[in-house]
Amino acid sequence: MLCKMGFPEDVHSAVVSRSVHGGQPLLNVRFQSCDENRKIYFGSSEPEDFRVGEDGVVYAERSFQLSAEPTEFVVSAQDKETQEEWKMKVKLTPEPTFTGASEKDQKKIEDIIFPWQQYKDSSHLKRQKRDWVIPPINLPENSRGPFPQELVRIRSDRDKSLSLRYSVTGPGADQPPTGIFIINPISGQLSVTKPLDREQIASFHLRAHAVDVNGNQVENPIDIVINVIDMNDNRPEFLHQVWNGTVPEGSKPGTYVMTVTAIDADDPNAQNGMLRYRILSQAPSSPSPNMFTINNETGDIITVAAGLDREKVQQYTLIIQATDMEGNPTYGLSNTATAVITVTDVNDNPPEFTAMTFYGEVPENRVDVIVANLTVTDKDQPHTPAWNARYQMTGGDPTGQFTILTDPNSNDGLVTVVKPIDFETNRMFVLTVAAENQVPLAKGIQHPPQSTATVSITVIDVNESPYFVPNPKLVRQEEGLLAGSMLTTFTARDPDRYMQQTSLRYSKLSDPANWLKIDPVNGQITTTAVLDRESIYVQNNMYNATFLASDNGIPPMSGTGTLQIYLLDINDNAPQVNPKEATTCETLQPNAINITAVDPDIDPNAGPFAFELPDSPPSIKRNWTIVRISGDHAQLSLRIRFLEAGIYDVPIVITDSGNPHASSTSVLKVKVCQCDINGDCTDVDRIVGAGLGTGAIIAILLCIIILLILVLMFVVWMKRRDKERQAKQLLIDPEDDVRDNILKYDEEGGGEEDQDYDLSQLQQPDTVEPDAIKPVGIRRLDERPIHAEPQYPVRSAAPHPGDIGDFINEGLKAADNDPTAPPYDSLLVFDYEGSGSTAGSLSSLNSSSSGGEQDYDYLNDWGPRFKKLADMYGGGDD
């Protein structure tokens, strides 16, 4: 089937209510689009009255009343991409007003018949032959049913020849909220399925369709408007439960106070939504129980009685009632709210001083001191412009030495000193002050606008600081004034005339160059050193010194004064050459050296300067020449064509323009070098090396000395490390260290026959001396250092028959009980052979009769200390 894009009809008729509200949906236009991807935009020829949504629903843009005649406008649809446009005329007819309809007529189900259509054979377009106005269906809200409740039956006059199917579309049917209205597709019976709520949706705009069994449209759709009839099912609701308003005290009757507003969700154009206001109660009821009234339609509250006084009643509370049904107390629904009216303050009470005279005192020369508190009373509301006091001085202070500030918390007036007061000039002040509010008194108030009082202030005499006159004091003096010269007299004055005190004493407070001293009694200043204008303590020819003057009052006071000495220049400095070093080429061109004369003095004792070379030595003038190019500058250049590269000292005599002249001979160190074609030195390194200064030589010598010291320290450290290594080798060598604790005695007697030792203790120790009576022995050098572990015994230096046995036994016990001792020693086993042997020589130490049968070679394994025994007993006949 060929799809034709556009509106299915040229004219669309609809019946709507006579009263149209802004945003109310009126009808739904149908547009057939053959391409779902195309975006269609709807418009209205009357945009100020009607708006078409994207879904084709026509809305009212504003609230208005339809005239009795049909209202016509054009709805357009446009494709923004192709700019193709379609139009359809819409005709709105106001619904007729039915009066006196019987209940039977209302219950009768109407038949809505589709308008008669004819087909145009050429285009098959349906065209309406006549307009058919279908009145809207009125349905009361909150109906109790039963549901579904039949409304109307929709039928087509073609249902006699064709089998048709009926359907409805639009909000409430197939669009949200869906399912409220249903239609029997065979009979066309339209029904509602549940109670309606006008406060949610006031009207429904449906469209009825008739198609054959194949789905082909046989009739143009018709619009059905269902209006929900309002019922009084909503109470008025105030926008706020508590309303706050204000009214100035003393207001006249008829003064507007505030407006309260309530809303009713019912139809505002019907009695159900028409509200009326009234005041139920007023608290407090003074000075009248009816101080206010309310406009019953607008809710405006106004005053109706005089006598509002904030100082008596600061707040009123009203109970307001709003009733619908135009205030009908029988059928109307009502609600209440509270109106709180605050009586605001006006300036009807001026401030009043609590006393006629206030007193205060202040020490002289003090500022920013509060000398008196002025207190006032005011019955108006605190911390408002009608209560805040403003003070002003009306007399007694011609020089403006006092001011009055207001304390924002207490509203007191603070009399404050703003200029120093001299006791010697004024000993007492009597001030006249006035107080008034920040805002003027309200009209009709009989009180005077301000209150006045007097303030008596006594000035207290205090010891004041002396002051120098003048301060600072300027003295002009030529520099070079010798020490001990009298410079000037710098004295101070004491402002106290009524205090008994001695004369002032002077002392020096600041003298950066220590040039001056002051006489403590008369203030005479003399020099202690020569005044020098070129000193670092002189800035812009000015030298500043500070002196102190002190009295003996209670408490003692002092003042300072500055002496400024302007030093006049004299020609006491000779000019010098600058720079001190320069470089030039050994050839004649280019070889000019620019020099400058520097003189600490100023004009006329400085430039212009005269430059010349001395006559001695003759080589100076022979090799060099100097030419002045300005008052302070000159050029030094070679006189000869070639001068060998090297460093030359060139004396230059410079004379200034002072009277008398001052001159000096300055030495310019010139480095002559070989130059390239650009005039740059090419052998600067050689010349610089040949001409090292004293500082460079000293630095090089210091570096050499430091290097030698470091080498010597390294050698000493290496030798010390070698000695420590050798000592460790003797102490820690595991092959030689046997820890046998045999002491070396420097005795070389005739052998064992010459020694009368009792060796029986080695075989049977019978006695042991206590450790407490043993003398301090000698510890072996190869022993491990003794710590807090078990102490090893130290053998006594004095020989004793039982010493060896005791020593060995104690050493063995100490070694066995030392869990931390490293294995320095081998375990020594001593065999007890009974008490029969009384041999007196070492040969019987471990043998019975003959030493030749015993093998003593194992003594070699005991280390170098037993080597002698191995040689004596294991060497055979030797």
Side-chain angles (χ1 to χ4, degrees):
M1 183 176 179
L2 181 63
C3 177
K4 184 172 180 63
M5 192 166 181
F7 292 104
E9 54 191 357
D10 294 337
V11 178
H12 185 84
S13 299
V15 177
V16 298
S17 61
R18 187 177 299 273
S19 297
V20 179
H21 305 291
Q24 174 183 345
L26 302 177
L27 65 140
N28 190 356
V29 296
R30 183 181 177 188
F31 183 84
Q32 183 175 357
S33 178
C34 299
D35 187 358
E36 296 181 355
N37 295 327
R38 299 180 68 174
K39 188 67 175 178
I40 303 300
Y41 295 90
F42 294 99
S44 169
S45 62
E46 304 291 338
E48 66 277 2
D49 294 331
F50 305 100
R51 172 178 60 86
V52 185
E54 295 181 357
D55 54 355
V57 178
V58 179
Y59 298 91
E61 277 291 283
R62 61 184 180 88
S63 299
F64 59 91
Q65 295 285 333
L66 290 177
S67 62
E69 299 296 326
T71 300
E72 297 182 357
F73 63 95
V74 177
V75 174
S76 61
Q78 185 179 23
D79 188 338
K80 291 296 184 181
E81 295 183 357
T82 62
Q83 299 297 320
E84 188 175 1
E85 188 176 17
W86 300 268
K87 295 184 178 180
M88 181 182 68
K89 181 188 293 185
V90 176
K91 181 180 293 186
L92 298 180
T93 302
E95 61 183 2
T97 304
F98 296 98
T99 59
S102 64
E103 184 178 354
K104 180 178 179 181
D105 293 338
Q106 293 179 359
K107 291 185 179 180
K108 182 179 179 181
I109 305 302
E110 291 187 68
D111 287 347
I112 298 178
I113 302 175
F114 283 93
W116 177 79
Q117 308 288 332
Q118 71 174 6
Y119 288 88
K120 193 173 183 180
D121 296 336
S122 59
S123 61
H124 297 285
L125 293 178
K126 299 175 182 179
R127 186 169 301 277
Q128 185 171 329
K129 183 178 180 181
R130 53 189 170 86
D131 292 340
W132 219 60
V133 177
I134 301 176
I137 302 171
N138 296 322
L139 185 63
E141 65 174 334
N142 303 323
S143 175
R144 297 184 179 181
F147 296 102
Q149 179 181 349
E150 295 180 352
L151 301 179
V152 295
R153 188 167 68 89
I154 300 173
R155 57 179 294 273
S156 172
D157 55 1
R158 296 174 60 86
D159 60 355
K160 298 178 180 180
S161 60
L162 296 175
S163 178
L164 303 182
R165 297 292 183 268
Y166 299 97
S167 63
V168 290
T169 60
D174 62 340
Q175 299 178 18
T178 59
I180 296 178
F181 299 97
I182 58 176
I183 188 171
N184 189 310
I186 303 299
S187 64
Q189 185 67 49
L190 180 65
S191 305
V192 61
T193 61
K194 60 181 179 180
L196 303 181
D197 188 355
R198 193 206 66 85
E199 286 70 43
Q200 293 184 358
I201 301 178
S203 64
F204 294 88
H205 297 262
L206 305 179
R207 174 163 287 191
H209 306 271
V211 297
D212 59 16
V213 294
N214 295 324
N216 298 321
Q217 178 176 318
V218 297
E219 298 284 1
N220 278 336
I222 60 173
D223 292 326
I224 301 175
V225 177
I226 301 175
N227 292 327
V228 182
I229 304 302
D230 183 43
M231 305 294 289
N232 191 18
D233 57 344
N234 292 279
R235 289 182 178 274
E237 295 290 340
F238 282 93
L239 297 180
H240 305 286
Q241 194 58 36
V242 178
W243 296 79
N244 293 291
T246 59
V247 60
E249 63 175 331
S251 297
K252 297 179 180 180
T255 302
Y256 170 80
V257 180
M258 60 190 299
T259 299
V260 296
T261 303
I263 59 174
D264 196 317
D266 294 325
D267 189 357
N269 297 317
Q271 288 187 342
N272 297 335
M274 295 181 179
L275 306 181
R276 296 295 182 264
Y277 301 93
R278 70 190 185 100
I279 298 175
L280 297 181
S281 65
Q282 169 192 312
S285 58
S286 63
S288 170
N290 298 313
M291 297 294 296
F292 305 93
T293 187
I294 188 170
N295 187 308
N296 64 344
E297 293 185 2
T298 62
D300 294 342
I301 300 176
I302 60 176
T303 61
V304 293
L308 291 174
D309 189 352
R310 189 203 65 85
E311 285 74 32
K312 295 180 180 180
V313 179
Q314 298 183 2
Q315 191 177 84
Y316 289 91
T317 301
L318 308 179
I319 304 299
I320 310 297
Q321 184 186 61
T323 306
D324 59 14
M325 298 295 292
E326 294 184 303
N328 189 317
T330 303
Y331 303 103
L333 302 177
S334 62
N335 213 336
T336 60
T338 302
V340 179
I341 301 175
T342 302
V343 181
T344 58
D345 186 38
V346 298
N347 192 15
D348 55 348
N349 295 281
E352 296 180 3
F353 283 104
T354 58
M356 295 301 297
T357 304
F358 297 88
Y359 299 92
E361 60 182 19
V362 58
E364 65 173 329
N365 300 322
R366 296 283 299 275
V367 294
D368 297 331
V369 177
I370 299 174
V371 298
N373 275 26
L374 310 181
T375 56
V376 295
T377 58
D378 195 319
K379 296 179 181 180
D380 292 321
Q381 184 176 358
H383 307 291
T384 62
W387 177 82
N388 296 334
R390 184 169 55 191
Y391 300 89
Q392 60 181 348
M393 213 93 60
T394 59
D397 184 25
T399 57
Q401 292 181 305
F402 299 92
T403 188
I404 305 178
L405 305 177
T406 302
D407 188 330
N409 296 321
S410 63
N411 211 26
D412 293 346
L414 309 178
V415 181
T416 307
V417 182
V418 294
K419 293 181 180 179
I421 303 174
D422 188 6
F423 174 82
E424 286 72 24
T425 304
N426 296 297
R427 299 187 183 186
M428 178 173 287
F429 291 87
V430 178
L431 309 178
T432 304
V433 296
E436 60 183 1
N437 293 125
Q438 290 181 351
V439 295
L441 287 176
K443 294 181 179 180
I445 304 301
Q446 303 300 323
H447 300 286
Q450 63 182 12
S451 177
T452 60
T454 58
V455 183
S456 178
I457 301 175
T458 303
V459 182
I460 302 174
D461 189 17
V462 297
N463 187 24
E464 300 177 77
S465 300
Y467 58 95
F468 284 86
V469 179
N471 189 18
K473 183 175 183 179
L474 179 64
V475 176
R476 301 175 66 89
Q477 177 64 47
E478 282 190 350
E479 65 172 329
L481 184 64
L482 300 179
S485 302
M486 201 279 287
L487 182 62
T488 185
T489 299
F490 198 19
T491 58
R493 298 176 184 175
D494 193 340
D496 295 311
R497 299 196 301 267
Y498 301 100
M499 287 189 176
Q500 300 296 328
Q501 53 190 14
T502 59
S503 59
L504 303 177
R505 303 287 294 182
Y506 301 96
S507 61
K508 184 172 64 175
L509 186 63
S510 173
D511 183 13
N514 200 22
W515 287 344
L516 308 173
K517 70 175 181 179
I518 187 170
D519 188 279
V521 177
N522 57 24
Q524 190 177 68
I525 298 176
T526 57
T527 60
T528 59
V530 177
L531 305 183
D532 185 7
R533 192 198 65 84
E534 289 75 32
S535 171
I536 60 174
Y537 301 105
V538 177
Q539 301 294 331
N540 298 324
N541 303 327
M542 191 75 71
Y543 179 76
N544 294 324
T546 306
F547 298 92
L548 186 71
S550 305
D551 61 18
N552 62 342
I554 300 176
M557 302 298 291
S558 61
T560 61
T562 301
L563 179 65
Q564 295 181 333
I565 306 175
Y566 187 86
L567 294 175
L568 305 175
D569 185 42
I570 62 174
N571 195 13
D572 56 346
N573 294 280
Q576 300 291 327
V577 68
N578 184 50
K580 298 293 184 181
E581 297 180 356
T583 303
T584 187
C585 299
E586 58 186 3
T587 58
L588 188 61
Q589 294 294 336
N591 65 346
I593 300 173
N594 292 325
I595 61 175
T596 304
V598 179
D599 194 334
D601 294 325
I602 60 176
D603 290 334
N605 298 319
F609 300 95
F611 300 87
E612 59 180 344
L613 298 176
D615 296 332
S616 178
S619 60
I620 298 301
K621 286 192 173 182
R622 183 174 64 251
N623 297 336
W624 305 91
T625 180
I626 190 169
V627 177
R628 191 179 79 170
I629 58 178
S630 66
D632 298 339
H633 304 281
Q635 275 190 348
L636 178 69
S637 58
L638 285 174
R639 181 183 293 273
I640 59 178
R641 293 189 176 183
F642 177 80
L643 183 63
E644 185 179 359
I647 298 177
Y648 298 87
D649 291 336
V650 180
I652 301 175
V653 179
I654 306 176
T655 305
D656 61 19
S657 300
N659 186 18
H661 300 294
S663 63
S664 66
T665 301
S666 300
V667 177
L668 176 64
K669 187 179 293 294
V670 181
K671 299 177 182 179
V672 180
C673 62
Q674 297 178 359
C675 298
D676 54 17
I677 58 176
N678 297 323
D680 299 326
C681 286
T682 57
D683 57 348
V684 175
D685 295 338
R686 177 174 60 81
I687 296 176
V688 171
L692 290 176
T694 304
I697 295 175
I698 293 175
I700 294 174
L701 291 177
L702 288 176
C703 293
I704 294 174
I705 293 173
I706 293 173
L707 182 61
L708 292 176
I709 292 174
L710 293 176
V711 172
L712 180 61
M713 292 175 63
F714 179 74
V715 172
V716 172
W717 177 75
M718 289 294 294
K719 288 185 178 182
R720 180 175 297 176
R721 193 178 66 167
D722 291 342
K723 289 182 179 180
E724 291 177 354
R725 186 181 299 170
Q726 293 175 3
K728 289 181 179 180
Q729 186 69 21
L730 293 175
L731 294 175
I732 305 175
D733 191 355
E735 296 181 357
D736 298 337
D737 189 10
V738 296
R739 299 294 299 273
D740 51 8
N741 292 333
I742 295 180
L743 301 180
K744 178 180 178 182
Y745 296 94
D746 295 330
E747 296 176 351
E748 299 180 358
E752 63 184 16
E753 297 296 338
D754 297 333
Q755 304 298 330
D756 188 17
Y757 290 112
D758 184 7
L759 301 180
S760 62
Q761 296 297 330
L762 293 175
Q763 300 161 349
Q764 180 63 37
D766 295 329
T767 60
V768 179
E769 288 186 39
D771 295 338
I773 63 174
K774 290 184 180 180
V776 179
I778 301 175
R779 187 170 63 85
R780 279 181 46 194
L781 297 177
D782 61 338
E783 283 184 1
R784 180 189 178 194
I786 298 175
H787 301 288
E789 291 81 16
Q791 299 294 320
Y792 289 91
V794 180
R795 184 185 175 193
S796 174
H800 192 276
D803 181 55
I804 297 177
D806 295 339
F807 183 81
I808 293 176
N809 287 331
E810 292 175 6
L812 179 59
K813 292 179 181 180
D816 292 340
N817 295 327
D818 185 7
T820 62
Y824 288 108
D825 300 326
S826 300
L827 182 60
L828 304 181
V829 179
F830 301 93
D831 294 333
Y832 175 66
E833 300 181 1
S835 59
S837 175
T838 56
S841 67
L842 292 176
S843 61
S844 60
L845 182 61
N846 198 20
S847 63
S848 57
S849 60
S850 174
E853 299 175 0
Q854 182 70 34
D855 184 12
Y856 294 99
D857 293 336
Y858 65 87
L859 294 175
N860 291 320
D861 298 332
W862 288 15
R865 300 182 184 277
F866 290 89
K867 192 173 187 308
K868 186 63 176 176
L869 291 176
D871 293 340
M872 292 174 59
Y873 292 95
D877 295 338
D878 296 334

